[in-house]
Every structure is written in structure tokens, then in C-alpha cells.
Amino acid sequence: MMTADGPQRISDSTVHRLSKYYRTLTYLSERGIKTISSEALAQHNGVTAAQVRKDFSCFGTFGRRGLGYNVLELQRNIARIMGLQRKWSVALVGVGNVGRALLDYDQFRIQGFQITMAFDSDPAKIGREFHKVFVRDVFNLENDARAGQVEIGVVAVPVVAAQAVVDKLVLGGVKGILNFAPINLKAPPGVFIRYENMAIEIEALAFAITNPELVRND
Amino acid sequence: MMTADGPQRISDSTVHRLSKYYRTLTYLSERGIKTISSEALAQHNGVTAAQVRKDFSCFGTFGRRGLGYNVLELQRNIARIMGLQRKWSVALVGVGNVGRALLDYDQFRIQGFQITMAFDSDPAKIGREFHKVFVRDVFNLENDARAGQVEIGVVAVPVVAAQAVVDKLVLGGVKGILNFAPINLKAPPGVFIRYENMAIEIEALAFAITNPELVRND
DNA sequence: AATTGTGAACCTCTTCACAGCT
DNA sequence: AGCTGTGAAGAGGTTCACAATT
């Protein structure tokens, strides 16, 4: 019997590692390094060489046996795979401490994520500029996001407001949401949500220090 | 033949989910809800009921068959497991955009992570206060961290400085490091490092939007 | 001689399904 | 009847090991 497998799926772990390899390759190419082996790339990222090769093998063959990988070529390939060879239009919702830090976050700008609009509900913030971005009224989020062709929304509002913001972003045509509020959110199929919660990792540290015998440590 | 298994290890995923369950339980108890089932707790967190029960089963049995879990009791148990029933002394290194946001990050304070010291190398920042925390010279990091009995260090410095900061934190007696610099770091056994990189998740969104057919969606 | 690409083996995590308790 | 706790099955991710290539 023939089973319709559908296309091979890529795991979150692989996607995360590709981001890291990409950063390493940028670092290497800035220093004029032309070639790298899977072993060396692995050591830069705390993984095994086999893991690096398997990650790439999901997308094609980028190296040469006996020689390793060409740094620039591999970098271009990962950029293409990840969608980093172009600019992304991003809207920030919530101009609190976290939001303001993101408005001036190098790692977004460098990778082509341009925060073109910011929104808040606080009248004291609406109409002001932070890091040269004008703060709009979240009331107009749906219309403004659509008019500005926003592709990704960053949610940095309190938990109670987060789902309503997501709903407006979805109506405004956004295709991806990066959520900093510590709550699980719903979006229709075709809209991707990713979660960022800085407290979770520091709690994982508290767990590890409290229970060192229960934690795998390299 | 008898094999010395060592203690059962707990996966990162389980630890992350425990953090999330803990937040849900706080939310429920604030609303006076006394009891919850694994099914309901699962729905709040986008996982399955079996997953919730398996996560708990690593640490003991906290529910009652037929009745579910007592919210407050479960919350206390998770706090104990995660080491959240006490305060943690945290030092922040790097008072840039990200560092300043963390100095006023509710989710740290609420869970008992108190940033008692901040460090920077910029003479324009040393001696000033941000969010009521005095900025010290990173030159004295090792001694000040030891004197202040710092347990966790938060690294929010540029990539080039990150490893040197980790080395000083380790010498200063720190047991856990939360690293925001996009680079892999080394620490001796017994010192735990966790990584936080906000660019990685937005890049995962770019990947998902670019290759929707390759991504598992819900 | 060095290093990739990859099937197979291995290991870990998740889900199933049901016995056991309330 | 409702719901937990858990061994077993299933799915998925990682490592091994080696043929293929430069």
C-alpha cells in the first residue's frame, strides 16, 4: 500500500541550529575564512559533526568530500533556506521595557527584520517616537498593519491584552507572531506563533542549580 | 549484571513545561480556582493531558484519581521542584538596551530573581543607577560577585566580551549563567549555562513563513 | 588522507491505553 | 463515572559507521 508521506518535516531543533550556524558563518566570513569542516562548525556551536551534516542533508548537499564547506556559499544557502536573503516588515505591539529594547536590538536589524511600526494603548506613549519609530494607537492596529504590509508582529503587551492583539494582527494580514507574553495564544492555520519568555530559561537555571543530579550537563 | 543507572534525568522540555504550568497555576489560584484536571491544564498550555501527567510523574504523585489536582498544592510542589520557593541573587553584566529591560522585567522579580548588582565597562554608565540598581565597573566583577554571594549571572554584553565575563563570573562563585550573547560559551562542570537569543525565534518565523509545507503547525 | 552524505542503530520523548483509585 | 499514574508502543531526533568523493 502506498502512503502519501507528504513532504519531509523539519524539526524546530534543526531550524534553531541553522540560525546558529548562520551566525558562525557570518563571523567566519568577516574574518576572511574561506572554508570550514562540519567538525569545526560543530565545535563553534556545541554540537556533533554528524548533527551538522544531517541538518544540511535535509535541504541538499552543500559540501565537498575531503574539503569541507565553502563559507560564503554555505552562508548564502542557509540564508535562502531560512528566508534571510530579504527584508521582513515587522510591527511591534507594546512599547514597554521589553518593546523599547527590541526597537534598538541589533540582532533583528542585522538579519533584515525591520520594525517599521510600533503600537501602544497608553496615551502618554502614542504620538511619541522611540528609537526613531513613531508610536501609533493600538486601536488602529488592524488597518495600519494591513496598510503597511506588515508580515511579522511582535507582541510585547501584558498577558490580558495578548490574545486580542494577536486577533487584530491576524485580521491585519500578519503571517507570523513572536510573542513575549507568558501565555499560550491561538491563531488560525497559516499564521505561525513563536514564544519567547526570558523567565523560562532563568527558571531552568534555578532548577539545574537546585537539582544538579537530575540535569544532563554536556 | 547490574547496571548503575544513576538517577533518572529530566529533559529540558519537561523543565520548560513545568515553568509554564506554574504560571498557569498562579493565574488560576489568583482567580480562586481550587482544582484542575490534567486535561484543563494541558489546554492552557497547548500540550496533551498525558504529557502533563508524565511530566509530574517524574517527581511524585500530586493528584487524586477521579478528582484532579489541588491548585495551591500543585503550585507549591512545582515551586519546590524548580527552586522557586526562595529568592535568587542575580548579577547583570552589560547595561545596554537588553540589560536595562531586564533590570525592570517583572517576570524575573515576581519569580524571586533579584538583580542585586549590575556591571558595565562603559565609564559613562559606571556609577549611575538604572531602575535603582547601581552600575559597577566590570573590572571588579569577580570580587563583587563573590562578596555579594551572587548565584546567577546574566550576560548581556557583546559577543567579543562574553567569554571573559563568564570566566570572571565563574571565578566569582556563580553557579548559573543566562547568556544573551549569540555565541556558544564554556564553563566548568557544575556551572550551568542557558542561552537566550531573541533573533533565533524570529528567524524560525521567517523559515516557517518561507517554507510552510516543511513546518509542523499545531 | 581528509571529509562529506546517509542508511541503520540507537536513544529519548510523546502518546496510547488501561488498571487503579476516589 | 471521572480522572490519575504508568508500562508499553510509537514517533522522532541523534549518533554511528562507512561508502563515496576530492
Side-chain angles (χ1 to χ4, degrees):
Chain A
M1 176 192 159
M2 177 164 158
T3 38
D5 269 4
Q8 176 202 15
R9 299 287 170 67
I10 306 301
S11 73
D12 273 12
S13 320
T14 293
V15 175
H16 286 159
R17 285 191 298 266
L18 286 176
S19 287
K20 294 183 179 179
Y21 303 153
Y22 184 73
R23 246 168 286 281
T24 303
L25 293 166
T26 304
Y27 173 94
L28 294 170
S29 64
E30 280 169 359
R31 274 157 193 73
I33 292 164
K34 298 274 188 288
T35 284
I36 191 163
S37 66
S38 58
E39 177 59 42
L41 195 46
Q43 280 179 7
H44 274 280
N45 289 280
V47 300
T48 66
Q51 182 75 81
V52 170
R53 299 199 297 273
K54 254 292 192 272
D55 285 337
F56 295 156
S57 79
C58 302
F59 300 98
T61 101
F62 306 124
R64 294 200 222 158
R65 298 178 193 223
L67 302 177
Y69 301 88
N70 178 291
V71 170
L72 282 173
E73 194 184 313
L74 185 54
Q75 195 185 7
R76 271 196 302 272
N77 273 304
I78 297 181
R80 177 180 49 75
I81 292 163
M82 299 284 295
L84 300 178
Q85 82 296 32
R86 67 183 196 75
K87 305 284 184 210
W88 290 87
S89 169
V90 179
L92 170 70
V93 190
V95 189
N97 282 304
V98 172
R100 285 199 300 278
L102 294 173
L103 281 174
D104 196 34
Y105 187 51
D106 284 340
Q107 299 296 314
F108 279 5
R109 221 190 341 264
I110 292 168
Q111 307 301 337
F113 299 95
Q114 303 180 314
I115 301 181
T116 53
M117 295 182 177
F119 296 85
D120 208 294
S121 62
D122 179 355
K125 287 177 185 158
I126 296 167
R128 287 180 63 189
E129 280 193 3
F130 293 94
H131 298 289
K132 303 201 176 156
V133 180
F134 179 83
V135 179
R136 296 157 187 260
D137 190 332
V138 75
F139 180 81
N140 301 316
L141 177 53
E142 178 187 338
N143 286 335
D144 288 358
R146 176 172 293 111
Q149 309 223 50
V150 170
E151 296 163 291
I152 293 176
V154 175
V155 176
V157 302
V159 163
V160 287
Q163 184 63 59
V165 165
V166 168
D167 296 343
K168 287 185 175 199
L169 285 167
V170 169
L171 289 171
V174 160
K175 288 288 169 259
I177 290 164
L178 181 60
N179 171 43
F180 284 80
I183 184 175
N184 194 52
L185 298 171
K186 304 253 181 303
V191 178
F192 298 94
I193 306 188
R194 292 252 150 195
Y195 297 84
E196 191 75 65
N197 182 342
M198 298 176 287
I200 281 188
E201 289 298 336
I202 204 168
E203 289 175 25
L205 278 178
F207 175 82
I209 298 171
T210 308
N211 312 277
E213 76 286 359
L214 298 182
V215 176
R216 254 180 292 283
N217 204 12
D218 65 4
Chain B
M1 175 193 159
M2 178 164 158
T3 39
D5 267 6
Q8 175 201 17
R9 298 286 169 70
I10 305 301
S11 73
D12 272 12
S13 320
T14 293
V15 175
H16 286 159
R17 284 190 299 265
L18 287 176
S19 288
K20 294 182 180 179
Y21 304 152
Y22 184 73
R23 246 168 285 282
T24 302
L25 293 166
T26 303
Y27 173 93
L28 294 170
S29 64
E30 281 169 359
R31 274 156 195 73
I33 292 165
K34 299 274 188 286
T35 284
I36 190 163
S37 66
S38 59
E39 178 57 40
L41 194 46
Q43 280 179 8
H44 274 280
N45 289 280
V47 300
T48 66
Q51 182 74 82
V52 170
R53 298 199 299 271
K54 254 289 191 277
D55 285 337
F56 294 156
S57 78
C58 302
F59 300 98
T61 101
F62 306 124
R64 295 202 220 156
R65 299 178 192 222
L67 301 177
Y69 301 88
N70 177 290
V71 170
L72 282 173
E73 193 185 314
L74 184 55
Q75 195 186 6
R76 270 196 304 271
N77 273 304
I78 296 181
R80 176 180 50 76
I81 292 164
M82 300 284 295
L84 300 178
Q85 81 297 32
R86 68 185 198 74
K87 305 284 184 209
W88 290 87
S89 168
V90 178
L92 169 70
V93 191
V95 189
N97 282 304
V98 172
R100 286 198 301 277
L102 295 173
L103 281 173
D104 196 34
Y105 187 52
D106 285 341
Q107 300 296 314
F108 279 5
R109 221 189 342 264
I110 292 167
Q111 307 301 337
F113 298 95
Q114 302 180 314
I115 301 181
T116 54
M117 295 182 177
F119 297 86
D120 207 294
S121 62
D122 180 354
K125 286 177 185 157
I126 295 167
R128 286 180 64 189
E129 281 192 2
F130 294 94
H131 298 289
K132 303 200 176 159
V133 180
F134 180 82
V135 179
R136 296 157 187 259
D137 190 333
V138 75
F139 181 82
N140 301 316
L141 178 54
E142 178 188 338
N143 286 335
D144 288 358
R146 177 172 293 111
Q149 310 222 50
V150 170
E151 296 164 290
I152 293 176
V154 175
V155 177
V157 302
V159 163
V160 287
Q163 184 64 59
V165 164
V166 169
D167 296 343
K168 287 186 176 199
L169 284 168
V170 169
L171 290 171
V174 160
K175 288 288 167 257
I177 290 164
L178 180 60
N179 172 43
F180 284 79
I183 185 176
N184 194 53
L185 298 171
K186 305 255 183 301
V191 178
F192 299 94
I193 306 188
R194 292 253 149 194
Y195 297 85
E196 191 75 64
N197 183 343
M198 297 175 288
I200 282 189
E201 289 298 337
I202 204 168
E203 288 175 26
L205 278 178
F207 175 81
I209 298 170
T210 308
N211 312 277
E213 76 286 359
L214 298 182
V215 177
R216 254 181 291 282
N217 204 15
D218 68 3

